[in-house]
Amino acid sequence: MDIIYRQAVKEDIQIIEMLITQAIAEMEKKQIFQWDELYPIREDFLNDIQCNHLFVGCINCQIAVVFTINEDYDEAYMNGKWKNPDKSFQIIHRLCVRPKFQNKGIAKQTMRYIENKVLLEGKQAVRLDVFSQNPYAVKLYLECGYEKVGKAEWRKGTFYLMEKYLE
């Protein structure tokens, strides 16, 4: 499936919000209570757009996937036993595939895109956190070669800190 990736713009915000709302409903059907009315919210995405950190992947002119990539991280990332803490990295936040496009390999394809983008920007690693109670996301990242290096405790529970070196 051909995915065209681009930076998100303010005009995308309503579709992104709809995508997130649909994804939350789909997760809750599967008893995954990762996101809610407190996170992620419109302001998170608008801030990401303003900072040029939010990207979308489109299939047939429809937004199918959204993600943020930057160097921002929560203090809880200090809990990670990063293999090479001095290496340069980027962090993935809020990766989400629109439910009607799920189970088609889009998340894996997007992870490859992100890794190539990070390499082209001269960074050496990708880091992320994943909700421990989301078996689909945990499986995705493990299959993509990410390793668990620690845990963080946030409002919704335990999140695994993960990393992959791209060299």
Side-chain angles (χ1 to χ4, degrees):
M1 203 169 283
D2 288 336
I3 304 173
I4 298 170
Y5 296 96
R6 63 171 173 79
Q7 276 194 309
V9 294
K10 282 185 182 176
E11 292 75 20
D12 295 326
I13 195 68
Q14 285 184 316
I15 295 168
I16 292 168
E17 286 182 303
M18 180 198 63
L19 182 157
I20 296 300
T21 299
Q22 291 172 352
I24 290 171
E26 192 64 28
M27 285 191 286
E28 288 178 352
K29 282 185 203 171
K30 296 174 181 166
Q31 302 297 302
I32 300 168
F33 302 101
Q34 174 177 345
W35 289 348
D36 56 23
E37 70 282 351
L38 299 178
Y39 181 86
I41 59 173
R42 179 184 189 98
E43 287 74 22
D44 295 321
F45 295 107
L46 288 172
N47 183 58
D48 290 341
I49 289 169
Q50 185 175 3
C51 295
N52 297 317
H53 295 161
L54 188 65
F55 295 83
V56 294
C58 299
I59 298 173
N60 298 326
C61 299
Q62 293 183 63
I63 295 176
V65 61
V66 61
F67 64 90
T68 297
I69 183 90
N70 60 34
E71 295 176 8
D72 300 339
Y73 57 90
D74 188 271
E75 185 180 317
Y77 267 59
M78 302 310 282
N79 296 333
K81 291 181 174 54
W82 310 105
K83 289 187 178 178
N84 297 295
D86 297 331
K87 299 270 184 176
S88 61
F89 60 88
Q90 294 247 307
I91 299 175
I92 300 170
H93 307 276
R94 297 181 284 283
L95 172 66
C96 186
V97 176
R98 190 175 189 169
K100 77 178 197 175
F101 290 103
Q102 289 177 355
N103 302 309
K104 297 178 192 237
I106 290 167
K108 280 187 183 173
Q109 189 174 340
T110 299
M111 291 301 293
R112 285 191 298 273
Y113 170 82
I114 291 168
E115 290 166 7
N116 287 332
K117 179 180 179 352
V118 168
L119 272 174
L120 287 172
E121 292 176 4
K123 306 296 182 187
Q124 299 162 310
V126 176
R127 294 180 180 171
L128 57 90
D129 57 81
V130 59
F131 187 45
S132 64
Q133 300 303 305
N134 186 337
Y136 308 100
V138 172
K139 180 181 178 199
L140 165 71
Y141 298 129
L142 290 172
E143 287 179 353
C144 288
Y146 288 74
E147 296 179 50
K148 294 178 191 174
V149 297
K151 293 179 182 178
E153 295 296 329
W154 286 308
R155 179 175 62 90
K156 288 291 190 161
T158 302
F159 287 71
Y160 299 129
L161 302 175
M162 302 183 85
E163 71 179 341
K164 179 177 179 179
Y165 286 90
L166 305 174
E167 301 178 280

